[in-house]
Amino acid sequence: MAVQPVAHRFTVDEYHRMAEAGIFGEDDRIELLEGEIVDMTPIGSRHAACVNGLTRLFVEAAGDRAIVSVQNPLRLGDRSEPQPDLLLLRPRADDYRGALPEGGDVLVLIEVGDSTAAFDARVKLPLYAAAGIREVWLVNVGDGTIEVCSDPTGRDYRSRQVYGRGATVAPEALPQAAVNVATLLPEG
C-alpha cells in the first residue's frame, strides 16, 4: 500500500515557540493560516496610504468606543493567527496585554489588498467567517472598491456589498466613521 505524505500543520503555540527560538526574524512578514506559515507580500505605497487614511479616520471617530489595532495579530483558534491590516476591537482595560484578541473581540476587520486582494477573499475571508467576525471589509486598492461582508454563516457571509468610487460606507459598529471610497482610493 502506498503512503501519501501529509503536510505538518503548526499550532499557534508551536508558531510562537518558533518565534521565541529565533527561527523567524523580527521583520519577517509572515502569518499562520490554517496551520501553514505563509509569507506575505511587501506593502506598497498605495496600500500603506490606504491603511494610514483608515487608521486616522477610525482613531478620530472611535474615541473610547473601540481600540484601533493596525497590522497586529488576531488569534483564530489553534491553527490561525493572521495580521489583518486594521481591526476595530471591543475596548478592554488591558488593551489586550493579557492575551491576543480573538474573533469575538472584533467589531470590524479590514484587509487592504492590491496584489493580495484575491488571496484575502479566497483564503482569509472563510477564516474570518468561521471565527464569527461580524463585519469584514475587503479594500481593493487596485480596482477602487470596498466589499463589506457581514452576517457570517459557516465559512462565508450572507451579506456582501461592493462599494465603488462615489459611494460612502461606514462600519455598523462605528457609523460616525463614514469612508468616502473616492477619497480613500483615488484613481491612479
Side-chain angles (χ1 to χ4, degrees), residues 45-61:
S45 62
R46 293 189 321 161
H47 180 285
C50 181
V51 172
N52 290 341
L54 288 168
T55 301
R56 184 179 335 101
L57 172 73
F58 290 140
V59 166
E60 289 174 6

Side-chain angles (χ1 to χ4, degrees), residues 60-114:
E60 289 174 6
D64 292 336
R65 291 181 293 277
I67 294 172
V68 179
S69 179
V70 181
Q71 296 172 341
N72 287 320
L74 171 68
R75 184 168 181 154
L76 301 179
D78 291 333
R79 297 210 181 267
S80 293
E81 193 175 283
Q83 295 181 24
D85 288 299
L86 201 101
L87 293 167
L88 294 180
L89 299 170
R90 294 184 193 290
R92 205 164 86 181
D94 73 345
D95 290 326
Y96 296 90
R97 187 174 297 110
L100 291 174
E102 298 181 357
D105 299 312
V106 178
L107 300 171
V108 180
L109 181 150
I110 299 174
E111 288 286 2
V112 175
D114 195 346

